[in-house]
Amino acid sequence: MTDSLSTSPSSSSGAFLVLGGTGKTGRRVAARLRVAGHTVRAASRSGEVRFDWAERATWERAVDGAVAVYLVAPDDPAPTGDFVKAAVAAGTRRVVLLSGRGSDLFDGASFAAGVTEAERAVRASGVEWSVIRPNNFNQNFDEDLWHRPLVEGRLALPTGGVPEPFVDLDDVADVAVALLTGEGHHGRTYELSGPRALTFAEAVDIVARAAGRPIASVELTPDEYRAELLADGWPAEAAEGLNAMFEVMRTGAVAEPVDGVRRVLGREATPFETYAVRAAAAGAWAVARP
């Protein structure tokens, strides 16, 4: 497989298939591809193109004519290999996989099974592939896991005080688009992080200053964290998965910043402080007044 411009997906008239097209990374990747003038097929269970990992009948329309695929793997490892084969058979020539930093260190663990199998599948695909492995996203603080607790004024987690070099989703999306459309990335895996590591207590303090109000950061034991998640209505399986994520983080294996953003984009990654000021200005942690 070569990286010649003549075989690049960006030089053809085919579509870019973005799985998880309504998700945190997928919608950003799809938007950037469209701004650049590419034909995009944003696929998800609720997207413009319906795609469901559990319903293989939805795969055919998604992959038909797709020259490149942005792949967000399911938690269940079972369908990914067959999907990649179906995409290649339909004409896909490049796959960019969203994995997670540290996934290679915990091969065999249930919480990493989906991305571990996906990495195996894309490497064995016979077409151009690249993998991105980001740290936890900045936007987990305002779009997802930790948003509501921060709005309520208390973020309680089992971090062990180990720092995390949170990475901005805009950086992740920029890297993904560069890999989907550019040259020289075949067969490469890029770890992505922010420019420096912060403890969660430090990150919460930055968010609190940006939001202009106090927010508490509380350290829990894994058992206490699980109990709080269950009391908050989380399913037991999800609670176990989140505890497993923090178990990985507490080892310190993914605590050091890496230079993947700069290697791909030629610029430094976005500082957490920049993200927090931007999110606060957009009202991310505003408290509704009665």
Side-chain angles (χ1 to χ4, degrees):
M1 182 66 61
T2 65
D3 281 330
S4 66
L5 184 61
S6 62
T7 61
S8 167
S10 62
S11 65
S12 73
S13 59
F16 285 76
L17 172 61
V18 178
L19 297 188
T22 57
K24 286 186 296 186
T25 65
R27 71 175 187 270
R28 288 173 166 88
V29 170
R32 283 161 169 76
L33 288 169
R34 285 180 170 136
V35 167
H38 300 294
T39 301
V40 177
R41 190 174 297 152
S44 68
R45 281 180 293 183
S46 60
E48 60 198 49
V49 174
R50 187 169 182 276
F51 178 87
D52 191 326
W53 284 104
E55 296 180 25
R56 299 196 178 202
T58 66
W59 297 4
E60 183 176 354
R61 182 186 175 198
V63 300
D64 184 33
V67 294
V69 175
Y70 176 66
L71 175 56
V72 180
D75 293 333
D76 178 5
T80 311
D82 286 345
F83 170 79
V84 171
K85 291 176 182 176
V88 172
T92 295
R93 301 198 300 274
R94 181 175 295 179
V95 179
V96 174
L97 170 67
L98 175 68
S99 184
R101 193 168 173 211
S103 61
D104 57 321
L105 303 176
F106 299 92
D107 190 359
S110 60
F111 65 86
V115 292
T116 299
E117 176 56 30
E119 288 200 20
R120 291 192 184 112
V122 299
R123 287 187 170 93
S125 65
V127 297
E128 295 183 6
W129 62 266
S130 51
V131 175
I132 53 178
R133 292 177 179 162
N135 277 88
N136 268 292
F137 304 138
N138 291 344
Q139 282 75 7
N140 286 342
F141 288 86
D142 75 292
E143 293 185 19
D144 197 0
L145 290 172
W146 308 312
H147 179 225
R148 183 166 64 85
L150 288 167
V151 171
E152 294 174 348
R154 175 184 178 269
L155 183 62
L157 301 170
T159 71
V162 176
E164 172 82 0
F166 304 101
V167 64
D168 199 85
L169 272 172
D170 288 338
D171 291 343
V172 175
D174 286 345
V175 168
V177 170
L179 303 186
L180 284 165
T181 62
E183 302 308 318
H185 304 293
H186 171 48
R188 297 186 180 181
T189 297
Y190 294 98
E191 294 191 335
L192 308 178
S193 81
R196 71 185 182 100
L198 300 165
T199 65
F200 274 81
E202 290 170 332
V204 169
D205 184 57
I206 291 169
V207 167
R209 290 200 305 270
R213 62 185 181 85
I215 303 174
S217 176
V218 178
E219 183 66 31
L220 299 178
T221 67
D223 286 344
E224 289 170 338
Y225 181 53
R226 183 179 187 278
E228 288 205 3
L229 289 172
L230 294 177
D232 202 32
W234 287 77
E237 184 177 359
E240 295 300 334
L242 286 170
N243 245 333
M245 179 186 75
F246 281 105
E247 182 179 358
V248 173
M249 292 170 60
R250 288 194 301 271
T251 69
V254 297
E256 289 296 319
V258 288
D259 65 352
V261 172
R262 178 166 51 80
R263 287 170 58 203
V264 175
L265 301 178
R267 63 166 175 81
E268 296 303 321
T270 302
F272 187 84
E273 292 85 351
T274 300
Y275 150 76
V277 169
R278 184 179 64 213
W285 303 293
V287 177
R289 298 187 181 277

